[in-house]
Amino acid sequence: MNRVPGTILGGNQMNKLFLAAGLTALMGTSAMAQQIGVSVARFDDNGLTVMRNGMTAFDEANDDVSLQIEDATDDVAKQLDQINNFIASGVDAIIVNAVDTNATEAMSNAAAAAGVPLVYVNRQPVNMDTLPEGQAFVASNEIESGTLAAFQMCRQLRAEGKSGGATAYMLMGQLSNQAAVQRSKDFHDVIGMDMCNFITLIDEQTANWSRDEANDLMTNWISSGEPFDAVFGNNDEMALGAIQAMKAAGISMDDVVVGGVDATSDALLSMQAGEMDVTVFQDLAGQGAGSIETAIALINGDEVDQTVFIPFKLVTPDNIGDFIE
């Protein structure tokens, strides 16, 4: 608006100026932010908390993103309700960390029918091969996770002179979860290899990703009196629960090879203390941030690969320094 210096704007002119200024400020802030609804399987899971922190850090660093993060509390029906509520509220995209990966088809159908982009994060949907347009999956390749951990455990057992025969237990995650199924299969595949077939699996049961449940299960196994040389947990929380049970039973951690997945801070501390032998770094914070970047790309109509993998990395006492801040 051009005017002569020193002149006074009339009432209508002043109102228009204030309105224009207000709209400009609004457009430069939250009004233009992409609204993204996020449903996380459970807030009280340490690994998923790292993933969620990656999301909130991305949110805080980017004014053009506004996240609404909900806790599904491990309830499939609640998660479906959250997704439907996100759609009804008019979000620009939805991110889902699935409670049950076998229930994702209904989620995909609801989002596709509403024309809302959907990104699955960390847990692979059962309908991965038939995801509708505008949907994607961001995670790490679970074939790598269990394979890296199991093979390193095999190598360590051989190095300790146990290639003549060793026994192991396996703690599995929730069996409704694709990661638990794949990581367990990875372990079986590795001990089926010629190099590692000296390892015999005594038992495998689910501890539902929980440290407390793993502690109880390991305590029961120890009470059976069966000697064992290794324990593999589908995640670090269960491996740590097993370690707690073994220490309580007076078992020396020098006598057992323990492996997990995620490289959580507690697991790294345990490794520094000489308890945990192997874990696998899953860049959960990177997955969280990557899921938002993928959602934004889908909102903008950009071309996006339906599968975005963030690599796993093996962690042992030899390279733990690379993973500790």
Side-chain angles (χ1 to χ4, degrees):
M1 179 181 296
N2 295 322
R3 63 186 180 90
V4 178
T7 60
I8 299 175
L9 292 174
N12 289 336
Q13 289 176 306
M14 185 71 75
N15 289 339
K16 289 178 180 178
L17 181 62
F18 285 152
L19 180 60
L23 287 172
T24 299
L26 195 60
M27 291 172 68
T29 56
S30 61
M32 298 301 292
Q34 305 287 8
Q35 304 293 320
I36 300 176
V38 182
S39 176
V40 176
R42 51 192 287 188
F43 277 13
D44 63 353
D45 179 283
N46 284 354
L48 296 182
T49 297
V50 175
M51 181 194 75
R52 185 158 44 92
N53 289 342
M55 293 178 174
T56 55
F58 186 99
D59 183 23
E60 291 167 0
N62 292 272
D63 293 336
D64 56 350
V65 175
S66 178
L67 299 183
Q68 179 184 343
I69 306 179
E70 302 286 347
D71 183 1
T73 64
D74 246 1
D75 186 325
V76 176
K78 183 175 182 179
Q79 186 161 64
L80 286 168
D81 285 342
Q82 289 172 347
I83 292 167
N84 287 326
N85 289 338
F86 287 148
I87 292 171
S89 68
V91 297
D92 297 298
I94 297 170
I95 296 172
V96 175
N97 168 245
V99 170
D100 183 347
T101 52
N102 290 314
T104 54
E105 192 164 4
M107 303 174 192
S108 289
N109 291 341
V116 179
L118 175 65
V119 177
Y120 294 102
V121 61
N122 181 255
R123 297 179 175 181
Q124 182 173 317
V126 70
N127 56 320
M128 186 66 229
D129 294 337
T130 58
L131 283 183
E133 186 176 349
Q135 299 187 13
F137 171 53
V138 176
S140 299
N141 189 343
E142 293 297 350
I143 294 176
E144 297 176 5
S145 61
T147 302
L148 285 170
F151 190 69
Q152 178 61 25
M153 292 172 70
C154 164
R155 291 178 60 193
Q156 185 165 336
L157 288 167
R158 291 183 70 90
E160 293 177 0
K162 296 182 179 180
S163 59
T167 55
Y169 285 113
M170 179 161 64
L171 297 149
M172 298 184 291
Q174 291 167 308
L175 300 182
S176 62
N177 189 284
Q178 183 272 343
V181 174
Q182 185 61 57
R183 291 175 189 179
S184 299
K185 181 180 183 300
D186 296 341
F187 190 82
H188 279 284
D189 288 346
V190 168
I191 65 175
M193 298 167 54
D194 288 344
M195 179 179 173
C196 304
N197 63 10
F198 65 91
I199 302 171
T200 300
L201 192 60
I202 304 171
D203 196 6
E204 54 184 317
Q205 293 187 39
T206 180
N208 295 306
W209 304 120
S210 166
R211 188 182 303 197
D212 290 341
E213 289 189 40
N215 189 330
D216 292 341
L217 181 55
M218 193 73 233
T219 299
N220 290 338
W221 280 335
I222 292 170
S223 67
S224 73
E226 185 82 24
F228 60 94
D229 303 287
V231 178
F232 173 58
N234 281 176
N235 74 342
D236 286 342
E237 281 295 287
M238 293 188 294
L240 291 169
I243 288 171
Q244 288 175 339
M246 287 184 279
K247 290 170 66 178
I251 295 173
S252 171
M253 300 314 302
D254 292 336
D255 297 333
V256 184
V257 175
V258 181
V261 176
D262 286 338
T264 62
S265 57
D266 285 352
L268 296 180
L269 288 172
S270 178
M271 185 175 287
Q272 285 183 305
E275 299 165 349
M276 186 175 289
D277 299 282
V278 180
T279 186
V280 181
F281 175 65
Q282 180 175 195
D283 189 357
L284 292 164
Q287 289 180 14
S291 68
I292 301 173
E293 291 176 333
T294 302
I296 293 171
L298 289 172
I299 292 169
N300 294 335
D302 298 337
E303 186 174 341
V304 175
D305 289 336
Q306 282 201 309
T307 302
V308 180
F309 279 145
I310 296 171
F312 281 104
K313 298 178 182 178
L314 182 68
V315 185
T316 69
D318 291 337
N319 68 346
I320 189 173
D322 297 339
F323 300 90
I324 294 178
E325 293 180 350

